[in-house]
Amino acid sequence: MAFSIAIQPLSAQASEVDLEAESAILVDANTGKILFAKNADKLFPPASMTKMMTEYLVWEAVEKGQISWDTTTQISDYPYSISADSTFSGIGLKQAKDYKVKDLYHAMAINSDNAATIALAELIAGSEGEFVKLMNKKGEEMGLPDFEFVNSTGIENESLGDNHPKGTDPNGVNYLSAKSAALLAYHLVHDFPKALEISSKPTVKFDGKELRNLNWMLQHDKTNFEEFYYEGVDGLKTGFTDLAGYTFTGTAKKGDRRLISVVMKTKSEAKRFEQTAKLLDYGFQKFENTEIFPAGYQLEDKSSIPVNKGKKDDVSISLAESVSLPIKPDEKDLYEITYTLDKEKLNKDGQLTAPIKKGEKIGTAQITYKADNDYGYITKDSNSTVDVVTDTSVEKSNWFMLTIGAIGDFFVDLFHTVVDWIKGLF
């Protein structure tokens, strides 16, 4: 049974962000609500934003005890050749030397090093080809809507030549939509929040050298980065290839609000950060966390449900929790509730059967935004859904009253049957 309550929806159009990027998205990380989207379902090469999936799988391997941050590994011929090639921005990894997982992860997450990424992939899965299988499997588990991984780094396979991961297309390219990149970042931030402690470091020491974070929006000590600094930014991943252009998945926190942004195929290093700043400004300045419906809010067109075999004839129902979302201050009236009662809880006459406990879940309510620019949510489980519960308990009626009721129902049914029979005679 589905019911809808309209809260006088108004005709409103959200202010668009004038964005110089082929694709972009802005997400509220606390609720999963999408605040802005531009071509967010279109596939683009993510370049080194690919490494967010590699980062996730490293954290997961550590969590499962497969490796630890102090586990050491040596560099095989493949990542060694990548590290020695300045085309791939190698940091000069050495062979016959033990490298800790922690150090390789820092080189990957902070300096976007490709060789360190491949070394970690080989450590976890035995080969990059097997690691790619893990990447695609995890993408399915996360529910990424649009993606394909063919390697762990974001380099085009064609550039890897004979080293392209076994089982992948020699000319294959990683692909993500902005929505998929944002959802990947959402999982990384929520499942492994300590990843931000690393991605927020402006520099890191590695093998006697200083590696600088490619995220210019952090607080660097270089004056030429000052104009890009954005308060609250603590991640997440840059990317660039000739095919992908300049990409960036950013995240920033102010107060109790965290936003995740993605820009794809911008035209320069500076542009990707400038456009990210536009998105973050839009999210933090135009939206406020607002309680739209309080806990105990009674559903106006169906404030009570009839009860069968109870000491009361009905029971009132309401929202189990308050509903708070980031919204524009003047758009509170654009939200409405659509709710569905659990069919298994109701008899054929649409009644609940006593006994009923106070706070018993009998359905769910969906909060929807009634305007042309509803971008939805990045996750299926979001603050847009809340339980509908009973406000009071209803005891089962005693056997005597149930018997009297049953006798009464019998004679009522008999009366109607006789009336129908008499009508049939005429």
Side-chain angles (χ1 to χ4, degrees):
M1 301 175 67
F3 307 88
S4 177
I5 304 171
I7 313 296
Q8 298 180 343
L10 305 175
S11 176
Q13 182 68 37
S15 300
E16 293 297 322
V17 183
D18 183 16
L19 212 62
E20 297 178 56
E22 291 292 323
S23 175
I25 195 169
L26 180 67
V27 176
D28 178 78
N30 296 333
T31 62
K33 191 175 191 294
I34 301 172
L35 307 182
F36 175 84
K38 175 184 178 181
N39 297 328
D41 297 314
K42 188 175 180 180
L43 286 169
F44 286 94
S48 282
M49 292 197 311
T50 295
K51 294 182 175 74
M52 290 190 294
M53 178 60 83
T54 304
E55 291 175 30
Y56 188 97
L57 291 173
V58 171
W59 281 98
E60 189 174 66
V62 171
E63 182 180 65
K64 291 180 178 179
Q66 297 171 354
I67 57 175
S68 75
W69 293 110
D70 291 325
T71 298
T72 60
T73 187
Q74 294 195 350
I75 308 304
S76 70
D77 290 343
Y78 168 32
Y80 176 72
S81 67
I82 294 294
S83 190
D85 189 341
S86 59
T87 305
F88 300 121
S89 302
I91 56 175
L93 294 179
K94 303 177 181 65
Q95 291 190 294
K97 175 180 172 64
D98 291 332
Y99 288 94
K100 289 184 177 181
V101 166
K102 176 176 61 179
D103 295 327
L104 292 172
Y105 183 94
H106 276 72
M108 170 180 65
I110 293 175
N111 196 243
S112 198
D113 188 70
N114 292 311
T117 303
I118 296 167
L120 288 168
E122 291 181 340
L123 173 65
I124 290 171
S127 70
E128 191 180 17
E130 290 302 309
F131 189 79
V132 168
K133 293 179 183 178
L134 297 180
M135 296 173 76
N136 285 299
K137 181 180 178 182
K138 184 57 63 176
E140 292 285 351
E141 291 175 4
M142 288 180 175
L144 304 189
D146 314 284
F147 74 96
E148 181 181 9
F149 294 113
V150 298
N151 60 56
S152 63
T153 60
I155 302 170
E156 288 85 34
N157 270 3
E158 185 178 17
S159 299
L160 297 173
D162 293 338
N163 284 321
H164 74 272
K166 185 178 179 180
T168 65
D169 182 353
N171 298 309
V173 178
N174 290 338
Y175 282 105
L176 284 175
S177 64
K179 183 179 289 186
S180 290
L183 182 54
L184 173 54
Y186 177 92
H187 282 291
L188 181 59
V189 168
H190 278 269
D191 296 347
F192 304 110
K194 287 187 176 181
L196 294 171
E197 295 179 11
I198 297 174
S199 65
S200 61
K201 293 181 179 181
T203 61
V204 66
K205 294 291 185 181
F206 181 89
D207 206 15
K209 295 173 286 193
E210 182 180 80
L211 303 182
R212 184 165 294 278
N213 200 317
L214 302 184
N215 179 0
W216 295 358
M217 301 185 82
L218 300 174
Q219 194 164 23
H220 290 268
D221 57 4
K222 299 288 186 180
T223 56
N224 55 321
F225 292 149
E226 286 180 358
E227 64 178 293
F228 301 102
Y229 170 68
Y230 194 100
E231 184 181 357
V233 167
D234 51 6
L236 194 58
K237 193 71 200 70
T238 59
F240 169 75
T241 65
D242 289 337
L243 182 64
Y246 294 88
T247 67
F248 181 51
T249 297
T251 184
K253 186 175 183 182
K254 290 188 177 182
D256 60 354
R257 295 187 62 200
R258 174 174 292 282
L259 301 180
I260 295 171
S261 63
V262 178
V263 294
M264 303 188 79
K265 211 168 181 63
T266 66
K267 293 183 178 180
S268 70
E269 287 182 282
K271 283 290 183 186
R272 63 184 172 191
F273 301 121
E274 291 168 356
Q275 304 314 301
T276 296
K278 284 185 183 180
L279 282 176
L280 295 177
D281 281 346
Y282 177 71
F284 285 122
Q285 295 174 9
K286 299 294 185 181
F287 293 81
E288 296 178 4
N289 282 341
T290 305
E291 184 181 72
I292 304 174
F293 300 105
Y297 178 85
Q298 291 198 325
L299 308 170
E300 295 172 2
D301 71 336
K302 196 71 176 179
S303 60
S304 64
I305 300 293
V307 175
N308 181 39
K309 298 181 179 180
K311 289 186 176 182
K312 295 180 181 179
D313 294 332
D314 55 37
V315 61
S316 60
I317 61 175
S318 62
L319 301 183
E321 301 174 356
S322 64
V323 178
S324 295
L325 292 171
I327 68 171
K328 294 179 179 179
D330 60 346
E331 292 190 348
K332 186 175 180 179
D333 289 341
L334 289 177
Y335 291 82
E336 71 172 29
I337 298 177
T338 301
Y339 68 100
T340 303
L341 299 180
D342 187 348
K343 292 181 179 179
E344 294 183 359
K345 295 277 188 178
L346 305 175
N347 63 18
K348 61 182 179 61
D349 296 318
Q351 301 171 313
L352 293 170
T353 300
I356 300 167
K357 296 179 180 179
K358 180 181 179 179
E360 183 175 339
K361 178 182 176 181
I362 61 166
T364 57
Q366 181 73 32
I367 314 304
T368 55
Y369 175 58
K370 306 303 292 183
D372 294 335
N373 54 330
D374 181 13
Y375 298 117
Y377 294 79
I378 200 153
T379 58
K380 293 180 180 179
D381 299 325
S382 68
N383 286 27
S384 67
T385 302
V386 64
D387 291 344
V388 174
V389 298
T390 54
D391 291 331
T392 59
S393 59
V394 179
E395 295 181 13
K396 188 173 183 178
S397 187
N398 60 51
W399 68 269
F400 177 76
M401 294 305 297
L402 291 175
T403 301
I404 294 298
I407 293 173
D409 290 341
F410 169 77
F411 282 108
V412 169
D413 291 340
L414 179 61
F415 172 77
H416 286 300
T417 300
V418 172
V419 169
D420 291 340
W421 177 74
I422 293 173
K423 288 181 178 178
L425 294 177
F426 299 96

